[in-house]
Amino acid sequence: MAIKYFTFHTHMPKDYIFHRGDLVRDVYFVIDGIGRYFYIDEEGNERNKSLVRTGGAFASLSTLVEDCPSPFFAQAITQCSTASIKYDCLIELSRENYNWGEFLRKIYERLVLKKEKREAGFLLLTAKERYEQFLNEFGDEGRKIPLRQVAMYIGVTDVTVSRIRREMGLT
């Protein structure tokens, strides 16, 4: 039974799930809520790497695969409920049980697809089109994400997001 491997957490808004420099050994599956991965550059500016919502997961693959400290932070934006499991236990479950193996494969596939779409968006879409893509991806959950976080996610300023929203009749 897999439940014995999981630990359940509640993260309040702005709580860190892990910090840059941590050796993150767990995968945190998001049961409910929205969070983000982000970097802080040398000048102290935050840059959102990704947003994670219900059904997603937080992990540092560089730690799990290469045993390197996490290069980024993970933080709750809204209250988040997560179920964490040691990566080693997750791999063991996937080897012992076909369904867990399929689950893990699907998680990786979703991650790669999300990265491909995000990369294509930055290379090929306008700011407005990236905002529309954000709205399609997050739906009603997008309203829970502060505009500052949305702006960082789509690679524009808060002012640009406000202008786009005004032009779209969303304000």
Side-chain angles (χ1 to χ4, degrees):
M1 183 168 290
I3 194 75
K4 66 183 176 186
Y5 295 112
F6 285 90
T7 304
F8 296 88
H9 314 269
T10 300
H11 310 276
M12 300 308 292
K14 298 186 180 182
D15 281 356
Y16 287 89
I17 297 162
F18 57 82
H19 294 80
R20 177 183 61 208
D22 288 352
L23 291 173
V24 184
R25 304 291 183 204
D26 290 18
V27 176
Y28 296 82
F29 292 100
V30 181
I31 299 166
D32 186 46
I34 302 168
R36 68 181 180 136
Y37 290 111
F38 68 101
Y39 294 98
I40 299 178
D41 66 21
E42 291 179 6
E43 289 81 39
N45 300 308
E46 294 181 6
R47 303 274 191 252
N48 279 350
K49 173 185 180 308
S50 186
L51 298 176
V52 180
R53 64 181 190 183
T54 302
F58 288 105
S60 173
L61 287 178
S62 52
T63 298
L64 298 174
V65 175
E66 298 180 340
D67 201 35
C68 299
S70 175
F72 50 80
F73 298 84
Q75 183 183 47
I77 292 175
T78 66
Q79 182 173 321
C80 288
S81 299
T82 62
S84 68
I85 183 171
K86 297 281 181 213
Y87 185 67
D88 293 342
C89 293
L90 187 58
I91 295 300
E92 180 182 324
L93 283 171
S94 73
R95 287 184 182 135
E96 293 174 357
N97 182 295
Y98 174 81
N99 292 327
W100 278 101
E102 280 296 295
F103 172 74
L104 196 56
R105 181 185 59 79
K106 288 179 181 185
I107 292 282
Y108 280 116
E109 287 174 350
R110 283 181 32 205
L111 175 63
V112 170
L113 289 172
K114 182 177 179 178
K115 299 275 183 208
E116 281 183 7
K117 289 176 184 177
R118 186 157 160 75
E119 179 182 273
F122 274 113
L123 295 172
L124 302 172
L125 302 179
T126 66
K128 181 180 179 185
E129 290 169 330
R130 288 194 307 273
Y131 183 68
E132 289 170 340
Q133 188 178 50
F134 163 81
L135 292 175
N136 287 334
E137 180 182 351
F138 284 88
D140 288 340
E141 284 183 303
R143 293 187 197 134
K144 299 175 185 176
I145 303 170
L147 287 183
R148 178 175 183 268
Q149 302 298 336
V150 173
M152 279 193 284
Y153 181 65
I154 65 170
V156 299
T157 65
D158 305 13
V159 173
T160 300
V161 170
S162 294
R163 179 186 50 78
I164 292 168
R165 288 176 51 78
R166 192 170 45 255
E167 289 171 1
M168 293 174 73
L170 298 175
T171 57

